[in-house]
Amino acid sequence: MTETLSLASSICRKLIECPSVTPAEAGALETLENILVASGFKVSRPVFCEDGTPDVENLFATIGSGHPHFVFAGHTDVVPVGDKASWSHPPFSGKIVDGMMYGRGTADMKGGVAAFTAAALSYLEQNGGPPKGTISFLITGDEEGPAINGTVKLLEWAKAQEHEFDACIVGEPTNPEMLGDTIKVGRRGSLSGKIQVHGKQGHVAYQHLADNPIPGMLQLLSTLDAMELDKGNERFQPSNYECISVDVGNSASNIIPASISASFNIRFNDIWSVPTLQSHLVTVLTEAAPKGLEWSVSFKDQPSDSFLTHDTALIDTLSNSVEVVTGRRPALSTGGGTSDARFIKNYCPVVEFGLVGKTMHQVDECISVKDLDQLTEIYRDFLNNYFSS
């Protein structure tokens, strides 16, 4: 018996069959390009590079002209599958069992890409061609990786090509439990750094000839762990600090290490900016450091600030479409991690809405085929209302 698939499911399966683990394109962008070109889109495939990072293929597709200029954004790269033997179904098969499609990237986020592709094609067919305005796709292969040769540079490239966007939806999996739960209208910022404490290496039996850096680091980390940055506000949850690794690089049991390092990440709300948070951390560490302790703190390049989208027309139009299709009025959230929306917000108002994200990055990652088709309906209804208004 031949399996009958909706357009969104067919596109999603074709994308899943491409093992596009970052930074490999693996045919995913080529698949998308072929689908879009056949429907009249003009497609570009810029490749960006930078020393010390892998080259990354990206895709920009556009149809129509003028304003309003609406853009769907997403990524076709995926995280590694882990232990293939642990999967119930091949991770690059897109196999459907009991209404669920299995495969790496189904939720994060080839399902979202498939849904907004199918929605745009359906919209064009229903309306007999392009809208009075422009629809574009901004697709990267570097969201799950360093995020250096992807959306950041693709946005710069698009601007150089004189594309000016009016609004954007990122198709990330935003719903925690059911389709229609949540629209992301902002994100907390992210600041990563490393603390280093230096001592003097020596034999553990002759500790008076050495200087163990570990106790001093423990005091610094204990202070940071007890630190309350803020209580949050009506827009964002509280900022939180997390120590993510501690290392002395010591493989011996009889040596006091010469130094110790600790890495951390802070997800912060709009009470802080990157400079004010960095300054605060330096002050806290300086006050906590024991007298004579040799320490330093450095911050990772490319921190991201928090942001909040205030475009009520974009938010309300999408919320209405979600409610029409699912019967649920979505909550507006700023929770969760970072996404490429942190780059897009510098160019136009942006929100995120996609599938249920329970299984993203997990073994047996999967999505509901019904949800995929409903997401397509939501995007299509949104396009109808966005361009008609």
Side-chain angles (χ1 to χ4, degrees):
M1 183 176 178
T2 303
E3 189 177 29
T4 303
L5 299 178
S6 67
L7 179 58
S9 292
S10 176
I11 295 172
C12 189
R13 174 175 285 178
K14 289 176 182 178
L15 293 175
I16 294 301
E17 289 173 342
C18 302
S20 52
V21 177
T22 314
E25 185 272 333
L29 294 179
E30 182 179 359
T31 296
L32 196 58
E33 178 181 12
N34 291 337
I35 293 169
L36 293 172
V37 167
S39 295
F41 279 82
K42 179 182 177 182
V43 178
S44 299
R45 293 269 300 279
V47 177
F48 302 120
C49 56
E50 189 165 312
D51 290 345
T53 63
D55 294 355
V56 173
E57 292 189 57
N58 301 271
L59 181 146
F60 182 79
T62 187
I63 192 167
S65 62
H67 293 274
H69 189 158
F70 178 79
V71 58
F72 283 114
H75 62 93
T76 54
D77 63 315
V78 299
V79 297
V81 301
D83 181 12
K84 287 185 179 180
S86 298
W87 285 71
S88 302
H89 310 286
F92 295 112
S93 67
K95 187 175 180 63
I96 297 174
V97 179
D98 296 329
M100 303 296 292
M101 180 181 287
Y102 289 81
R104 174 58 82 223
T106 47
D108 190 12
M109 62 161 282
K110 290 181 177 180
V113 172
F116 60 59
T117 301
L121 299 188
S122 176
Y123 172 84
L124 294 174
E125 182 179 0
Q126 288 180 354
N127 289 274
K132 293 181 179 179
T134 307
I135 298 174
S136 291
F137 286 8
L138 191 84
I139 311 295
T140 184
D142 191 30
E143 198 273 347
E144 301 289 7
I148 292 174
N149 295 319
T151 297
V152 172
K153 291 182 179 177
L154 188 55
L155 286 163
E156 294 171 352
W157 176 91
K159 184 177 181 179
Q161 303 297 314
E162 299 185 344
H163 293 288
E164 296 182 359
F165 307 128
D166 294 301
C168 175
I169 294 177
V170 180
E172 288 282 4
T174 57
N175 294 284
E177 298 293 335
M178 300 178 67
L179 185 69
D181 280 347
T182 306
I183 295 173
K184 300 280 188 182
V185 296
R187 293 278 189 165
R188 291 186 298 172
S190 177
L191 176 67
S192 295
K194 178 180 286 188
I195 305 165
Q196 290 187 304
V197 175
H198 299 281
K200 183 179 180 181
Q201 183 175 306
H203 196 294
V204 295
Y206 301 93
Q207 74 280 3
H208 59 288
L209 300 177
D211 180 13
N212 194 331
I214 295 177
M217 176 65 84
L218 292 177
Q219 186 164 334
L220 295 180
L221 293 181
S222 178
T223 298
L224 291 179
D225 193 56
M227 170 182 63
E228 182 183 65
L229 288 168
D230 55 70
K231 297 183 181 297
N233 54 33
E234 69 277 8
R235 302 174 298 279
F236 290 91
Q237 65 193 91
S239 304
N240 71 286
Y241 152 90
E242 295 294 335
C243 180
I244 57 175
S245 72
V246 179
D247 186 35
V248 296
N250 193 355
S251 60
S253 61
N254 61 349
I255 296 177
I256 293 171
S259 63
I260 180 173
S261 64
S263 296
F264 63 87
N265 179 264
I266 297 176
R267 297 302 166 101
F268 61 96
N269 56 41
D270 61 353
I271 294 172
W272 303 92
S273 66
V274 170
T276 61
L277 184 56
Q278 289 176 336
S279 177
H280 180 71
L281 289 174
V282 170
T283 298
V284 169
L285 290 168
T286 299
E287 292 176 352
K291 186 176 180 180
L293 185 71
E294 185 181 346
W295 68 276
S296 64
V297 60
S298 59
F299 299 102
K300 192 173 180 180
D301 292 340
Q302 294 185 316
S304 59
D305 251 320
S306 64
F307 75 92
L308 185 67
T309 297
H310 298 281
D311 189 324
T312 55
L314 170 62
I315 295 168
D316 289 348
T317 302
L318 180 57
S319 296
N320 291 339
S321 294
V322 172
E323 189 171 18
V324 165
V325 175
T326 68
R328 287 181 286 277
R329 190 73 179 178
L332 306 181
S333 170
T334 57
T338 57
S339 75
D340 280 353
R342 70 189 188 273
F343 307 127
I344 298 169
K345 53 93 171 151
N346 296 325
Y347 292 79
C348 69
V350 57
V351 296
E352 301 171 61
F353 182 77
L355 292 162
V356 175
K358 281 185 176 182
T359 63
M360 57 183 174
H361 294 204
Q362 296 182 9
V363 167
D364 281 346
E365 182 177 353
C366 60
I367 56 171
S368 161
V369 173
K370 179 182 177 182
D371 282 357
L372 181 62
D373 290 339
Q374 283 198 319
L375 180 61
T376 304
E377 291 181 40
I378 290 168
Y379 289 151
R380 183 176 56 205
D381 188 75
F382 170 84
L383 289 173
N384 280 328
N385 293 323
Y386 181 83
F387 284 103
S388 66
S389 62

